[in-house]
Amino acid sequence: MAERVTTKEALKKLDAQLECSICLDNFKQPKLLPCFHVFCKSPCLDKLVTKDGRSLTCPTCRHIVPLSERGVAGLQSDFHIDHLFEIQDAFNKAEDDNDTNCGCEDGKATGYCNDCGDFLCDECQAAHKRVKYTRDHRLNSLDELKAQVTSLVPPKKAVPHCPKHSENSLKIYCDTCSTLICTDCTIRLHKDHNYDLVPDVLTKHKEELVSSLKPVKEKLDSVQRALKDFDTRAKAIHEQRAAIEANIHKEIDEQHRLLDQRRAELVGELEILTQLKLKDLAAQRDQVEITQVKLTSCLEYAEVGLKTGTDGEVLEMKSSIVKRVKQITAEFKSSAIQPETKADMELITEGKEPLQQAYQDFLEIDHNRSFSLENSHMTRDCLKDATSEETKTLSYQGMTKNNKKFKDKLNIKAELVHIESEGILKCEVIEEPHGQHKINYRPVKRGKHELHITVNGDAVRGSPFPIAVVSSPQSFVKPSRVVRGVNKPRGTVFNSKGQLVVVEGEGTTVSVFTPEGEKIRTFGKLKNAFGVTVDKDNNIYVVENGNHRLNKFSSAGKFVAVVGSQGSGNLQFLHPAGICYNRRDNNLYVTDNCNHRIQVLTTDLKLVRCFGTPGNGNGQLQNPFYPTFDSANNLYVTEHTNHRVQVFTAEGQFLRTFSQKAKSKKLNSPWAIAIDSNDTVYVSENGPHHVSVFTSQGAYITTFGGQGTKEGQFNIVYGLSIDRNDSVVVSDEGNGLLQIF
């Protein structure tokens, strides 16, 4: 049986529901927000409106409510709150039977009209039922009214009238417009709409409304369960705290016990050692005191004899005293009277700091121990350049969300992918203590690679990592192929067909070779030419050092144009040495050797710009020889006199310089330069007849060659070029060879 609610309890419950949570007073002009929270219009909601007047934020759930031009006034009123006020009004009227009199002169109220809001006597109720305009009003007895009040059920109102047709009640519901209408509305405004009588559709729409609330109820159940989980979790945290605190006291107390035990042991050892030292010292002191007695007795006897003895007695005792003195002094040793036992006891505290660190690590309160990919880190010094057939090792440290070492198992996978062949090489992953792993990879091919690393199925930050793999030093010991019978080869370049264009001899001619090394044709008669390049159409450009000019030939070797003369003006040269073509801007870059500058020309041999001044500072040039570009469109220039390589932007802005090799060695008279697809830089040195290899940042990798006539040895290298397979072609002028590595 349901517990009966008293009038006082009903009033208290009613007052709580009519209180605004902002001003903590009864609602004044209550407005319903789209999130179904209700507040007073003024001043509560008015003061929450943004400066632009376009929105406000619900203080309960932080829902952003857009506002119309009417502002807060345009928000919907809450019929539920209106009903509660009606209940409160009815409650005030029904609270005391003495105040429930009928409006007539002598009538005692026995009922209440829900529509008029008046108390009526029996006669007035009968009249109410007779009059046309009130016969449809709903009447309740006072007992029924009190039951409604205590159950917080509002009195039922009469069916409202149509705002457009005031004589008609709103007894029809238009499904199309979702609104109440009257019979006249169905004729014109809602003629072709789907509508029906309210009683006929009410059950259906109530069921639909109840059904639509199912997801809300389900989610509410989930939220309520989650809130219980929060309480359970909070309880678990408090219990954990109590358990951990108890363990802390237990462990620390145990350490205190061990330390107290160690203290007692040390104090005991100290006492024993002290007694031993004091015993030895006492024995040594006894011997010294005996010596003291011997010396004292001899001295006192002689002094007394000298004072009290007769002349004859003194003479007679002399011999015995002298004899005794000799005996005592012969026995006396100064070292024997010094204490042998030392005060050398000390407390050794050499292990103090490690012990203190051990205590720091001994106990640790941990939380958020789950693995964090973001906090984990890896050594990156092996993540850029590598050498084929050599193992590189990375170190990966797993970390927790609270930035401590992750100590559980991690599933780490690593693969090295060769981009050109798409070959995949599995990497070795070695698990070490405290969440650390070693990742070993050993590339077998040179060229561009990608290192893919995943942890528990997720890619680590930065993966895949680009890896440029250069040939191992062993691959440069002997050339893979040699082209013989070349007349003092100098500058070389590959055209788009894979054919090698070579400047030959001091004569000087230009020859074209097949990829297999067979000579196709020879053309030109030039004076001391060095550098050569080709453009996108395979036109050939050759600089003449002796004639101070630049020649252009067609791909077939037919002369096209020439530019330049001896001098230092624009489009004049002084012993130009090298040339390269930039595919990005379609321009030619010529090293004007003795003018110490770079001249940039179009492929029509028109001047674009010059840059460089004489000197050895950054950006200055001294006898620049060969230029070339990397994949980032940076220009590399060798300087024969400054013994270095400088790097510029295509516009001539200085970026960096490098010359340092292994230990204290530096580049010696660098001449030719070439860069492969990995941006590995090859520089010939005509001092030691070497070719040295660097990364694009100037980090030294290796050196190969050396002066000689054997394969793999050189005798002046005036040209370097790279073929489609990243093989290095070395122009060995003195030996008349093209050596391919």
Side-chain angles (χ1 to χ4, degrees):
M1 184 175 178
E3 185 178 349
R4 184 178 178 182
V5 179
T6 65
T7 304
K8 186 176 181 180
E9 291 171 340
L11 177 61
K12 186 176 180 181
K13 186 174 181 182
L14 182 62
D15 287 341
Q17 294 189 55
L18 290 175
E19 183 182 274
C20 173
S21 62
I22 296 179
C23 64
L24 302 179
D25 201 352
N26 274 2
F27 284 113
K28 304 175 189 66
Q29 295 179 283
K31 290 293 182 179
L32 178 67
L33 302 185
C35 54
F36 303 124
H37 294 125
V38 184
F39 305 96
C40 299
K41 174 188 177 296
S42 178
C44 301
L45 287 179
D46 285 340
K47 67 183 182 182
L48 296 178
V49 178
T50 57
K51 291 182 179 180
D52 59 10
R54 295 181 179 179
S55 66
L56 61 83
T57 301
C58 173
T60 300
C61 67
R62 302 300 175 190
H63 177 71
I64 297 176
V65 179
L67 298 176
S68 65
E69 293 180 356
R70 295 180 60 200
V72 175
L75 293 172
Q76 180 181 347
S77 297
D78 186 5
F79 72 85
H80 176 64
I81 297 297
D82 292 339
H83 288 170
L84 291 178
F85 275 116
E86 292 172 8
I87 294 173
Q88 189 182 53
D89 182 59
F91 178 87
N92 293 331
K93 291 178 180 178
E95 187 176 12
D96 191 342
D97 290 345
N98 296 324
D99 294 332
T100 56
N101 294 322
C102 180
C104 63
E105 292 183 358
D106 56 353
K108 178 68 175 177
T110 59
Y112 179 78
C113 178
N114 292 320
D115 300 298
C116 298
D118 294 327
F119 287 92
L120 304 173
C121 64
D122 290 338
E123 291 183 7
C124 291
Q125 289 183 62
H128 230 60
K129 294 177 181 178
R130 289 195 301 270
V131 177
K132 176 181 178 182
Y133 295 106
T134 59
R135 66 175 57 163
D136 293 331
H137 287 195
R138 278 158 291 188
L139 304 175
N140 291 107
S141 68
L142 292 182
D143 290 338
E144 291 173 335
L145 177 61
K146 290 180 180 179
Q148 289 178 342
V149 171
T150 54
S151 62
L152 296 182
V153 176
K156 292 186 178 180
K157 290 185 177 181
V159 177
H161 289 271
C162 179
K164 294 183 176 62
H165 312 98
S166 57
E167 70 280 5
N168 296 334
S169 298
L170 296 172
K171 296 182 178 181
I172 300 172
Y173 180 74
C174 178
D175 235 343
T176 305
C177 302
S178 299
T179 187
L180 292 171
I181 59 175
C182 69
T183 53
D184 287 355
C185 292
T186 62
I187 299 173
R188 297 184 61 187
L189 300 176
H190 301 265
K191 181 179 179 181
D192 298 322
H193 291 188
N194 184 22
Y195 52 81
D196 208 337
L197 292 173
V198 169
D200 294 340
V201 298
L202 182 60
T203 301
K204 170 193 168 188
H205 283 283
K206 278 187 174 181
E207 290 174 351
E208 289 178 354
L209 180 58
V210 171
S211 178
S212 69
L213 292 175
K214 285 183 179 179
V216 177
K217 289 183 178 179
E218 291 173 356
K219 288 178 173 56
L220 180 59
D221 289 341
S222 298
V223 170
Q224 290 172 339
R225 287 195 299 270
L227 290 174
K228 289 182 179 178
D229 290 341
F230 276 98
D231 294 337
T232 303
R233 187 66 52 83
K235 181 181 178 183
I237 290 173
H238 284 297
E239 290 174 350
Q240 277 184 349
R241 180 210 175 277
I244 291 173
E245 183 177 0
N247 283 333
I248 290 173
H249 291 306
K250 178 182 176 183
E251 294 293 338
I252 296 298
D253 288 344
E254 174 62 16
Q255 295 305 310
H256 281 169
R257 186 189 68 77
L258 293 174
L259 286 173
D260 287 340
Q261 179 179 321
R262 181 59 178 155
R263 173 166 50 194
E265 292 173 354
L266 290 172
V267 171
E269 290 178 12
L270 179 62
E271 180 62 25
I272 293 172
L273 183 58
T274 301
Q275 294 304 320
L276 289 174
K277 283 184 172 290
L278 290 176
K279 183 178 180 181
D280 290 343
L281 195 63
Q284 296 166 27
R285 183 185 180 89
D286 287 344
Q287 294 299 320
V288 175
E289 287 177 346
I290 291 172
T291 301
Q292 182 185 30
V293 169
K294 290 179 180 179
L295 293 172
T296 302
S297 60
C298 178
L299 184 61
E300 289 178 351
Y301 178 77
E303 288 176 348
V304 171
L306 288 171
K307 286 182 180 182
T308 61
T310 63
D311 295 342
E313 289 173 338
V314 170
L315 292 173
E316 287 180 351
M317 74 175 186
K318 175 190 174 186
S319 61
S320 61
I321 290 175
V322 171
K323 181 179 178 182
R324 181 59 179 163
V325 169
K326 287 181 179 180
Q327 183 181 4
I328 293 173
T329 55
E331 294 175 353
F332 181 83
K333 294 180 180 179
S334 58
S335 59
I337 63 172
Q338 299 299 323
E340 295 180 2
T341 301
K342 296 180 180 179
D344 57 357
M345 296 185 295
E346 62 175 319
L347 181 64
I348 304 299
T349 59
E350 291 179 358
K352 182 179 179 181
E353 290 184 4
L355 182 61
Q356 289 174 338
Q357 184 60 47
Y359 271 109
Q360 292 293 327
D361 298 336
F362 168 57
L363 294 178
E364 183 179 7
I365 300 174
D366 202 0
H367 68 102
N368 266 345
R369 295 179 60 186
S370 56
F371 173 72
S372 170
L373 192 68
E374 294 76 17
N375 291 344
S376 300
H377 49 81
M378 180 167 52
T379 56
R380 294 176 177 262
D381 53 333
C382 297
L383 280 177
K384 188 170 183 181
D385 302 305
T387 303
S388 62
E389 305 300 337
E390 288 187 6
T391 300
K392 288 278 189 176
T393 301
L394 310 174
S395 178
Y396 184 85
Q397 178 63 64
M399 304 295 288
T400 63
K401 288 186 177 180
N402 64 338
N403 223 17
K404 295 185 178 180
K405 291 181 179 179
F406 184 75
K407 299 177 181 179
D408 294 334
K409 191 174 181 62
L410 292 173
N411 181 19
I412 298 181
K413 294 182 179 179
E415 294 179 342
L416 186 66
V417 180
H418 185 249
I419 294 177
E420 184 178 349
S421 66
E422 297 183 355
I424 299 176
L425 184 67
K426 299 288 185 182
C427 304
E428 180 186 27
V429 179
I430 302 173
E431 184 178 357
E432 296 189 337
H434 306 299
Q436 194 171 56
H437 292 72
K438 297 293 185 184
I439 301 173
N440 297 326
Y441 69 93
R442 182 183 177 89
V444 295
K445 295 181 179 180
R446 64 182 177 184
K448 293 183 177 180
H449 291 68
E450 286 183 345
L451 182 60
H452 297 253
I453 301 176
T454 61
V455 179
N456 297 339
D458 295 320
V460 303
R461 186 170 56 250
S463 178
F465 303 97
I467 306 289
V469 179
V470 299
S471 300
S472 65
Q474 290 75 18
S475 65
F476 295 113
V477 174
K478 280 192 175 184
S480 60
R481 190 159 53 90
V482 174
V483 178
R484 303 180 183 278
V486 187
N487 180 21
K488 295 185 176 180
R490 295 182 174 179
T492 60
V493 66
F494 282 93
N495 63 22
S496 62
K497 299 177 182 179
Q499 298 169 337
L500 183 63
V501 182
V502 183
V503 174
E504 290 187 280
E506 296 179 2
T508 311
T509 59
V510 179
S511 296
V512 180
F513 292 80
T514 66
E516 293 73 31
E518 295 181 6
K519 187 178 291 188
I520 301 173
R521 57 183 170 272
T522 299
F523 57 89
K525 190 170 179 62
L526 310 170
K527 185 177 180 181
N528 200 27
F530 282 97
V532 61
T533 193
V534 295
D535 63 19
K536 63 180 181 179
D537 298 319
N538 288 330
N539 293 311
I540 301 170
Y541 303 83
V542 186
V543 290
E544 279 188 274
N545 182 278
N547 283 330
H548 315 285
R549 63 187 184 183
L550 171 62
N551 296 273
K552 179 178 181 179
F553 299 89
S554 70
S555 60
K558 183 179 179 180
F559 175 78
V560 176
V562 66
V563 67
S565 60
Q566 184 173 359
S568 57
N570 291 338
L571 292 180
Q572 289 186 315
F573 302 99
L574 193 58
H575 300 295
I579 185 173
C580 68
Y581 170 70
N582 185 355
R583 294 184 178 277
R584 300 276 184 92
D585 60 18
N586 198 37
N587 288 329
L588 304 167
Y589 289 70
V590 181
T591 50
D592 192 357
N593 182 269
C594 292
N595 281 325
H596 315 291
R597 64 183 180 179
I598 306 292
Q599 293 201 59
V600 184
L601 287 71
T602 67
T603 53
D604 293 330
L605 307 186
K606 305 295 183 183
L607 182 68
V608 177
R609 61 181 172 275
C610 296
F611 62 87
T613 57
N616 57 12
N618 290 338
Q620 294 182 312
L621 296 168
Q622 196 71 31
N623 299 116
F625 262 77
Y626 276 26
T628 191
F629 280 91
D630 66 9
S631 63
N633 203 39
N634 295 321
L635 178 68
Y636 293 65
V637 181
T638 57
E639 288 184 85
H640 189 267
T641 305
N642 284 333
H643 306 286
R644 66 183 180 181
V645 175
Q646 288 203 79
V647 186
F648 301 86
T649 65
E651 292 73 29
Q653 180 182 354
F654 171 79
L655 296 176
R656 57 185 174 274
T657 182
F658 60 88
S659 62
Q660 188 67 47
K661 301 199 308 183
K663 297 181 181 179
S664 60
K665 293 183 179 180
K666 294 187 176 182
L667 287 172
N668 186 347
S669 302
W671 194 291
I673 187 169
I675 300 177
D676 66 15
S677 64
N678 289 321
D679 286 336
T680 305
V681 183
Y682 299 83
V683 182
S684 72
E685 300 176 77
N686 281 347
H689 308 276
H690 284 161
V691 174
S692 291
V693 188
F694 299 84
T695 68
S696 59
Q697 297 299 312
Y700 175 72
I701 297 175
T702 189
T703 292
F704 62 97
Q707 188 168 15
T709 58
K710 297 179 180 178
E711 291 184 0
Q713 294 179 324
F714 312 126
N715 190 5
I716 303 179
V717 177
Y718 278 147
L720 292 171
S721 56
I722 308 293
D723 70 8
R724 293 175 176 175
N725 299 317
D726 272 348
S727 295
V728 184
V729 179
V730 180
S731 295
D732 185 2
E733 190 202 51
N735 291 324
L737 302 174
L738 295 174
Q739 299 195 51
I740 296 95
F741 294 86

